[in-house]
Structures are given as C-alpha cells and as structure tokens.
Amino acid sequence: MIKKIKPISAKRKDVKLKTAAGTKKIEQDDRIDLVIIGAGPAGLSAAAEAAKNKLDVLLIDKNDIAGGQLYKQIHKFFGSTRHGAGQRGFEIADLLYKECTRYKVKIMLEAVCAGVFFDQGIEVSIIKNERLQQIKCKHLIISSGAKEKTMAFPGWDLPNIMGAGAVQTLVNLHRVIPGKRVLMVGSGNVGLIVSYQLIQAGMEVAGIVELGNKCSGYYVHYAKLKRLNVPFYFSHTVKEAEGNDGVEQVTIVRVTERGRYVPETEKKIPADLICLAIGLKPQSELCQVAGCKMYYNVRLNQVIPVYNDEMETTINNIYVAGDASGAEEASIAMEQGKLAAISIAAKSGKVNKRLRNKYKTEINKNIAQLRAYRKMFAKCRKKDIDRWRRKKGAVAVLDCNEDIPCDACRKICHRSAIKMDRDITSIPSIDLNKCRGCGLCIPYCPGLAIFVIDDTFSNDRSLVKLPYELLPVPREGKVVDAVDKNGKILCEAKVIKVDNQRKNNKTKVISIALPKRFSNSARGIKMR
Amino acid sequence: MMRIKKHPILNALPNHRTVTIYFEGRKISAFAGEPVAAALVANGIKVLKITKKFHSPRGIFCAIGRCTDCMMKVDGKSNVRICLEKVCHDMRIEREKHEKT
C-alpha cells in the first residue's frame, strides 16, 4: 500500500530523528542502516566498504546491471593501481561487484528512486515493477552520477546527434553502429576516449571540434588519435547541421577568443553522426528534493550540493558521493564512496573514531593527489635517449609528458626502472641503467605511450615495439608502414612479432623492424 | 545489419536468440533481450518519432532513459522509452501518431 506522502517544505534544513514526545523510542529494527542510490563506482565501493564494516546495506540502481557507466568503458583506466589503473572499465565494475556480493550487499536493480522524504528518519520512495514503495533507512548515500551537457545549434535536434555516452552505450554495450562517419564535438578526455573507441569499432572519425585553442584532454589520448591522422579543429565550433532524416552535413566555423564567429571560415564536413562530448553536470536532483543546500562550484563550473570533509550534506545522515557531488572521474568517485561509508560506519559505532580519522586523512590525501593534474600540453621532454645507452641494447621510451594521476607503469616494472619523483601525479622517468627493454610496461600504459627501441637489432635496422589496439592485426612477416606521432608515413617496416599474451589484456605488442634513422620517431603502424 | 562482429577489445559477439519484431508493420530481426533502440539502430532506423508541433524528426539522444526523445508506441502502449525497453518476440513498435495541429 502506498503511504500518504508528507510534502516537504523548502525551509526545512535540519531534520533529526523524531521520538514520539520523547517517551517512546522508535523501533529501530525495521530501518535499514544504509541505502545507497546508484550502483556506479561510488555506490559500489561505498556499499562494499559499509558492508565490510558490518552495516546492513541496500543498493538501488535503475539499470539491470550494477556498475553504472563503467560497463561501457573499454579503455584502460588511469589513476592509482589501488583503484585498478591499467584495467579496463568493465573489469573494474566486475571487481567492485564481486566485492559487494562477497560482503552480502542487498542489490535492488531496475528500481528508480523517486524521492527522499522524512518520516521517523529518512524515507526513500522506490519505483520497482511500476509500484511505489517506501523504504526507511538511517543513512542515505546519494551517488546518482552525472548527465551529459548538450549544446544548441541550428539542426541540433536532428536524429543521429547524440551524447558521447549514448554512442558509447550503443557501440560498446549493444554492439551496433549508429553512423559510419562521426564528428566529435569537444576534445576533453571523454571526447578523445570515445573517438578512439569508435575507431576501434570500425567507424571513421571525420574530425574533433574544440572551442579552445588547444586539446583539453590528456596528451596521451590526443597522441593516440593524432597517430591515426584524425583531424583536430581547434578554435572551431559547430554552426549548423543539415540533413533530412538525420545528419548529412555539418558546418563548422572558426571562432575568436571571445567566442564570435569569424566570417568566411565555414567548413562543410560530411558526417552522419555528431557526438557531443562537451562535459558533464551532476545529477543531484535527489539532493535538491531532499532539501540539501546547493552552491555553484567555480573550479568545476557546476552546481553541487554542499558537503563536509566526510561527504555529509547539510542534512544530517544524507551523504553524497561520486559524480553527484561534482562530476569528476571514477577513481575520485570510488574514494568518495569509501569515505562516506566509513563515516557512516563510525557514526553507527562500527568503526572507532581513531580508525575513521586515519582513513579520512588518507582518502582526502588520495583525492587531492588525483585532482592535482596540471595541463602541460606544450611542454615536451627530450626524446633522444643518450647515445651511449642505445648502443648497449633495447630501452623503453616514455611518451608521457604530463602530470597525469597514474602510476600503472611504475607498479608493473619489476626492475623498478620507472620512477616518479613525488606522488602518482608526477611525470614518470626512466632509469636507463636499470631498464633492459623487456617491454612489460608497453601493454600496461593506459595511454599507449610506452615504446621500446632496440638499435642493436641488426647492422642497418632497429627494432621498435609498440602497443596496438586496433583491427586488423598485422601478421608476422608482413610489410606495413611506420608512422610518426602525427600520422605521417615514414618508411616501410616489417612486422617481426605480434605479442598477444593473456596478461597483456587484449593490447597487442607489435615488434617492427625499420631503418635505423627512423627508430626514434616511429610511433605507430599503418596497414597497407 | 550494422552490428560489430569483430572488435579488438571486446569478445566476439555472443550467440543471441534472434527474434522477429515489427516496426510500423515491417518485419525486422533483433536479438532477444537487447533494448529496442539497439535493434532499430542495427536495422538502420534513425527516426523514432515526429514531434507534435513542428513535425520534425527525432532520434536517440541519451540512450540511458533520461531525454525522452525515443518514446514510441510498443505493443499498443504509448510513450515507452525504447532505449530501456527490452526486445521480446512479436513486439510491435510504432511511431507515435499526432494529428496535425
């Protein structure tokens, strides 16, 4: 039966447990310790952490599979190896889900949270199987994730103009191709990653349009696309999309620094799919419904709920975690979920305060590290390896020039030749005395930015080992074209070996032999 | 059919049970259990509805059940978000009909 729902007033800020006239205690038994809305990275890690600390947890998600958007992510993740850096998104989702089932978290799927009310504590309305039901709980974590922003231009409502997430869902999850030639709008990490995934699925990227004058995502993602000759249109925006039943042609135009169109710079690009990857905004309607105080965060350019250093909002016992508290990134979401779960466990007396404080400082430090990414696009390090070293044999080259929060390569090198100065945000450097060019790090780099050069291969030719994640895979003995970092063909090269071991996790390591003078600049191959 | 059979990262397309569904009376084949939207995209159908006021075509936009651009008539039931609705045998999918205003 549906209970009569009390309307909540906007003024109510602080809702505490009501005891009936202070004489009768509420029966606490029928209330669940913790309800988590959203089973994404934040929700799953919060649920696992809370259940580990002996809390009774119910996890609610709209989809028929727990894992949120992680299931669409087929690229290897950055971040610390603690959060599964170097592993693909769906593998991380599987790991988190397994952890949840191990600690016996109750998971309710295909259920939509319709509202948050207050009646003897917190009451959550859930729609499941077209029926509304009320669930009472002591604590609530809202980890409802983020939604995509969109932009308006003439013709923006035509079919086949989609958000990047939608294209990812169709291509990676449902394995269907919505269009053959894609124009990507936005060169943030989402835009770059999705573009690469579409190329992997066999589609053609007609170009990447970016309003700013430089690429706003990680350099390693940009380099992956640049190697494949994908055109980038910086300081450009979409002016118009034309077509009858779907996009057929897109007009892009150059813009000034202040965002005005530059006349007579229009360019018409034929494309049958426009993919909008222009950022995310938090899906924090549930926080607003509950009456949490919201504010505009300048750093993120988003309206987010106010929360303290334990992820608690302005309303007691309601916590936020993940993208709902500011759309950032999966590793941060996982840490935030953990932090919220530990604070709740401490509040319920399952974890002592000393341990809580220890966790709190540690997690806040990790989050600060993950946020410490600084854009250093123009700065490039010296690429030439010392001559003396190259005469001795194979050596790894790291094409990683940015302070990306990632330490996958450092963890995998068993000779500890790869070093980072400070924390995981530092640029990795290679100790040439220790590196033997084994190439173990090549498939582990999520940015595909590690190569091995061996100038001692033969008298006139060098061996270059490079990562490869595309189809078709060249056969051993075939002749391919070696390309440089801009996708320019350098010379012909012979494929010596294709390494597709299981531990490489589907990233092939291809060894090519090419003339010595090109060994320093070869960064990719092109099939003939 | 526009399906990705070979992929460098994902495993080969699993053997799904193929079922027949009807789009505006036209027979199309789909995989059992996939969303209706995916089945339509696989058959090259882009236009999912014609808007009431301006009669302009609409297609999939968010694919996760938030934007309501993909609402269609499924088995006689109006306003079903087909990006979430799962395919089953003999399903009848139609565009919403609006009288001209």
Side-chain angles (χ1 to χ4, degrees):
Chain A
M1 215 185 84
I2 298 166
K3 273 192 179 176
K4 206 178 160 191
I5 294 164
K6 238 173 151 184
I8 48 155
S9 66
K11 279 179 191 169
R12 180 177 357 206
K13 273 182 186 162
D14 185 290
V15 181
K16 280 181 183 161
L17 302 188
K18 287 180 210 154
T19 49
T23 49
K24 245 168 84 183
K25 270 199 167 178
I26 321 161
E27 286 177 43
Q28 303 235 332
D29 299 332
D30 62 330
R31 289 191 296 156
I32 301 169
D33 284 335
L34 172 61
V35 168
I36 301 172
I37 299 161
L44 282 172
S45 51
E49 193 65 40
K52 208 196 279 175
N53 290 314
K54 299 190 182 66
L55 283 174
D56 193 14
V57 185
L58 174 68
L59 186 59
I60 295 163
D61 198 87
K62 170 186 80 172
N63 299 310
D64 57 351
I65 185 167
Q69 309 302 312
L70 282 176
Y71 269 104
K72 306 174 189 172
Q73 313 300 335
I74 59 164
H75 63 278
K76 289 180 177 167
F77 268 52
F78 288 95
S80 153
T81 29
R82 263 174 296 124
H83 311 122
Q87 298 202 56
R88 299 186 190 279
F90 54 90
E91 293 163 347
I92 297 174
D94 280 342
L95 282 179
L96 289 172
Y97 184 69
K98 260 183 208 155
E99 206 181 341
C100 280
T101 44
R102 194 167 74 217
Y103 294 112
K104 298 193 177 60
V105 174
K106 277 176 260 163
I107 300 179
M108 194 196 245
L109 296 171
E110 291 183 320
V112 179
C113 178
V116 179
F117 303 96
F118 301 98
D119 181 29
Q120 297 184 339
I122 302 161
E123 207 175 69
V124 185
S125 318
I126 308 290
I127 304 170
K128 167 117 180 148
N129 297 335
E130 304 195 346
R131 281 182 63 130
L132 190 70
Q133 60 187 72
Q134 310 284 349
I135 294 172
K136 286 183 180 176
C137 61
K138 291 180 199 164
H139 305 277
L140 175 70
I141 296 182
I142 298 173
S143 56
S144 43
K147 57 189 169 195
E148 289 188 294
K149 283 184 193 167
T150 183
M151 67 188 274
F153 45 85
W156 77 290
D157 54 354
L158 280 169
N160 265 15
I161 297 184
M162 301 185 194
V167 180
Q168 240 184 350
T169 314
L170 290 173
V171 172
N172 294 342
L173 213 57
H174 306 315
R175 308 281 286 269
V176 291
I177 297 179
K180 293 216 167 80
R181 213 174 129 84
V182 195
L183 185 82
M184 179 67 66
V185 183
S187 75
N189 275 333
V190 177
L192 299 176
I193 290 169
V194 175
S195 303
Y196 195 70
Q197 288 176 359
L198 298 185
I199 294 171
Q200 285 180 323
M203 291 151 79
E204 189 194 345
V205 177
I208 297 176
V209 178
E210 164 67 42
L211 195 65
N213 58 4
K214 58 176 190 248
C215 175
S216 52
Y218 289 168
Y219 172 77
V220 282
H221 289 312
Y222 168 78
K224 277 198 285 191
L225 290 160
K226 204 75 193 152
R227 253 178 261 154
L228 296 170
N229 244 332
V230 172
F232 279 81
Y233 299 100
F234 294 124
S235 305
H236 273 76
T237 192
V238 178
K239 194 184 178 191
E240 200 181 359
E242 291 159 296
N244 292 323
D245 287 344
V247 192
E248 283 155 20
Q249 185 173 270
V250 195
T251 312
I252 62 167
V253 64
R254 180 176 280 279
V255 287
T256 60
E257 264 177 34
R258 302 180 70 186
R260 299 257 166 83
Y261 292 165
V262 179
E264 290 166 23
T265 53
E266 283 94 348
K267 210 175 273 168
K268 287 191 192 288
I269 297 176
D272 62 352
L273 179 67
I274 297 181
C275 202
L276 301 174
I278 45 177
L280 300 163
K281 56 183 174 190
Q283 200 167 297
S284 46
E285 291 94 339
L286 279 172
C287 299
Q288 278 170 302
V289 161
C292 302
K293 204 176 162 191
M294 311 287 286
Y295 78 111
Y296 171 72
N297 186 307
V298 183
R299 183 177 68 88
L300 296 167
N301 188 11
Q302 290 159 2
V303 177
I304 61 173
V306 178
Y307 60 87
N308 64 8
D309 57 350
E310 292 180 359
M311 306 308 296
E312 191 171 9
T313 60
T314 46
I315 297 181
N316 280 346
N317 299 329
I318 294 188
Y319 290 72
V320 279
D323 279 1
S325 67
E328 285 176 282
E329 180 250 349
S331 306
I332 293 178
M334 282 180 231
E335 290 283 12
Q336 286 178 334
K338 242 180 227 173
L339 179 58
I342 285 166
S343 330
I344 290 168
K347 232 181 192 180
S348 325
K350 309 274 182 186
V351 172
N352 66 34
K353 275 195 177 156
R354 247 184 68 203
L355 200 63
R356 195 258 328 251
N357 287 343
K358 197 187 134 201
Y359 275 123
K360 205 169 100 180
T361 41
E362 195 182 308
I363 290 175
N364 279 328
K365 201 179 117 199
N366 288 344
I367 292 176
Q369 270 186 20
L370 289 166
R371 280 183 184 152
Y373 161 66
R374 287 181 300 274
K375 192 81 197 151
M376 308 220 307
F377 188 63
K379 198 175 161 187
C380 272
R381 274 182 309 158
K382 207 179 104 195
K383 290 267 168 58
D384 283 316
I385 315 159
D386 292 303
R387 283 242 173 101
W388 65 268
R389 182 62 190 83
R390 288 180 62 171
K391 278 178 190 156
K392 280 177 130 182
V395 70
V397 184
L398 311 183
D399 249 5
C400 181
N401 308 317
E402 273 182 321
D403 287 5
I404 296 170
C406 179
D407 67 344
C409 53
R410 181 175 66 173
K411 280 279 155 66
I412 197 66
C413 185
H414 61 271
R415 301 185 70 94
S416 43
I418 297 173
K419 278 184 189 148
M420 282 164 163
D421 300 342
R422 305 181 309 275
D423 43 34
I424 60 164
T425 340
S426 319
I427 297 174
S429 60
I430 192 149
D431 187 342
L432 295 175
N433 288 321
K434 285 183 180 167
C435 181
R436 287 290 173 272
C438 63
L440 203 63
C441 45
I442 297 174
Y444 276 87
C445 176
L448 306 184
I450 303 183
F451 308 87
V452 167
I453 300 173
D454 183 4
D455 275 348
T456 56
F457 179 65
S458 77
N459 281 338
D460 54 341
R461 289 196 302 169
S462 311
L463 189 80
V464 177
K465 286 188 194 171
L466 24 95
Y468 191 73
E469 281 195 343
L470 296 168
L471 283 179
V473 182
R475 281 212 205 114
E476 285 172 17
K478 275 229 164 175
V479 175
V480 293
D481 286 326
V483 296
D484 69 352
K485 61 174 185 173
N486 293 322
K488 208 182 102 195
I489 294 174
L490 293 171
C491 59
E492 63 178 39
K494 197 179 166 195
V495 179
I496 302 293
K497 198 181 164 197
V498 178
D499 185 358
N500 190 12
Q501 288 178 47
R502 201 165 169 195
K503 65 173 182 189
N504 288 1
N505 199 355
K506 306 256 164 101
T507 307
K508 286 104 193 158
V509 177
I510 291 180
S511 312
I512 52 169
L514 74 175
K516 262 191 180 155
R517 63 198 161 104
F518 294 118
S519 68
N520 227 354
S521 44
R523 288 289 176 270
I525 55 166
K526 197 175 181 185
M527 300 291 286
R528 286 193 162 179
Chain B
M1 293 284 270
M2 301 211 280
R3 286 195 193 270
I4 302 159
K5 292 196 177 106
K6 270 189 182 173
H7 196 282
I9 309 296
L10 298 166
N11 296 327
L13 202 61
N15 282 327
H16 286 285
R17 199 161 57 89
T18 314
V19 292
T20 314
I21 57 172
Y22 297 88
F23 171 73
E24 304 260 282
R26 200 178 111 201
K27 236 183 190 179
I28 58 175
S29 68
F31 289 160
E34 73 177 349
V36 178
L40 296 187
V41 169
N43 286 284
I45 295 157
K46 287 179 194 169
V47 182
L48 304 181
K49 73 171 185 188
I50 308 288
T51 55
K52 206 172 176 179
K53 203 168 176 183
F54 295 111
H55 303 278
S56 58
R58 289 282 189 280
I60 298 170
F61 183 73
C62 78
I64 50 169
R66 288 203 64 84
C67 72
T68 67
D69 252 8
C70 65
M71 296 216 285
M72 294 180 90
K73 205 178 216 176
V74 176
D75 287 338
K77 200 173 148 193
S78 282
N79 292 340
V80 177
R81 290 175 295 179
I82 59 152
C83 58
L84 298 180
E85 192 74 14
K86 300 276 184 301
V87 164
C88 50
H89 190 59
D90 269 351
M91 205 175 220
R92 269 155 219 283
I93 301 138
E94 279 157 49
R95 291 188 187 127
E96 303 272 1
K97 296 276 180 310
H98 299 296
E99 282 171 24
K100 284 208 169 177
T101 45

